[in-house]
Amino acid sequence: MLNPSERRERAFLVGVEFRTKGRAGGARKTNSATITPGAQAARDHATSVAASSSSSSFLAADSPDFSSDFTSEDSLDELRALATSAGAEIAGEFTQRRDRPEPATLIGKGKLEEIAGASASVSADVILFDHDLSPSQQRNIERVVDTRVIDRTQLILDIFARHARTREGQLQVELAQLEYMLPRLAGRGVEMSQIRGGIGTRGPGETQLETDRRKIFRRVRHVKQQIENVRRIRAQQRQRRESVPVATVALVGYTNAGKSTLFNALTKSNVASSSRMFATLDPTIRGAELPSKRKVLFSDTVGFIRHLPHTLVSAFRATLEEVQRATLIMQVSDASSPVSAEQDAQVESVLKELEADKKPRLRVMNKIDLLLPKQRESLRDSDLRDHDLLNHEQIIHVSAAKGIGLSTLLDRVDALLDEDRPRRVRLRIPQKEGKMLALLEARARIYSRQYQDGLVVLEADAPASLLRRLREWVVE
Ligand SMILES: Nc1nc2c(ncn2[C@@H]2O[C@H](COP(=O)(O)OP(=O)(O)OP(=O)(O)O)[C@@H](O)[C@H]2O)c(=O)[nH]1
Ligand SMILES: [Mg+2]
């Protein structure tokens, strides 16, 4: 793990775009090969988000090709944020466009030599490819550039490793890392320290620690067993939870959409939120009270990203079970992101993979405080247009950070949950039934209250479970 006193590693980013796949034309202009010197490239993600939010952010939703990929530029923006989240400093960037991938080295040898020169001139410690590399591609590239090369999956694994706090999270990341490293063992001595991650984690003295595949296999088996134990415990906890009829709402969405911030606002708790990507790895579950006074459980969980490495999806299966078991999915989107629609499409495909795409869902557009009034309007317009298409899906606009729209959001959650649904009733309760009145006060939403001859006449929305206990006083 990166030692805070240690110098931040300098990363050189390489964006790659192939014309044969991906979206036609590419709406935004990219030079075929651009080298950006460190200082400018190192602009932080926050400014890049703020700066681009004034552009065609929701126009992307106009596109009928909902599954369209990110442009190489969007993708490089994301890689920059990922690299920063992994604790690296951006030393420079290079974008390469070509017709198709070069089987052995992904991009041409001449370009690789150019990259080697450019990265050396800014003293980069590591070169990050905005693409997945096969084990042999990675080896071949390293041979040419003579610098450590990390691909997108390994970078994401690094971030996960840095952010895992619980034993469960750490086990899941370790499993994914081991599975990533296994096919990469052949042909070079891999240090065990490298298995721990790529950025800032080179082992002490570069010792050759472990090359024996069998030992790694044994470790994989062991970790899987431990994850199984954790899953069993979670299942027991869930059973205990589910024995009480309380609905659970799972917050899902692209990394950095603001799930934890919203979770904190809704449950008045204090889960860490951060502009770094994948701040949350371990699921947290907290109770909250809805306007109907019903209790509900919210669960905050790991964010999604496009091309989520498959090893991670399977390693995080235990965590993602919370999503599969939820009564309602609350899908949080960053309305200020220029690629919000693309991110939503990615979230959709992960939900499909989890077989959670058919669950009742509430869509939340977050960070509306970052939008200009005009942009908010167009957000509303595009909602109206998409509404039929989305088939009764509901979209609420909020700012989790500024607390805008949260009561509407809770009302909507209330309306969507069937469990112990409240019903509007009139009650006549003797004033001396203090305990019953207190119960009603605590668990029902009371609209009016009158006192008549020792009786309290109330109009309230009360959940069915409570009405069963107050049956004798219900008048209509
Ligand atoms: N301006 C603004 N910023 C927000 C809002 N909600 C969240 N943010 C910021 O967005 C960043 C990401 O927020 P998080 O709540 O950590 O996002 P997340 O979806 O939990 O991210 P991961 O756990 O990394 O997947 C933080 O810097 C938040 O302060 C909002 O409504 N408005
Ligand atoms: Mg989070």
Side-chain angles (χ1 to χ4, degrees), residues 66 73 95 120 122 142 148 164 203 227 233 263 319 374 385 392 397 443:
F66 203 63
E73 224 170 297
T95 307
V122 292
E142 274 182 349
R148 214 148 36 98
I227 291 179
I233 294 168
F263 176 85
T319 300
K374 215 172 86 198
R385 215 176 33 246
H392 305 308
H397 298 167
R443 297 200 35 215

Side-chain angles (χ1 to χ4, degrees), residues 254-262 272-280 300-303 366-370 398-402:
Y254 212 74
T255 178
N256 226 25
K259 298 177 293 300
S260 297
T261 309
L262 185 59
S273 81
S274 146
S275 63
R276 295 201 154 184
M277 298 171 100
F278 299 112
T280 310
D300 181 25
T301 184
V302 55
N366 186 31
K367 308 199 189 182
I368 56 160
D369 58 297
L370 295 177
V398 307
S399 162
K402 298 266 187 305

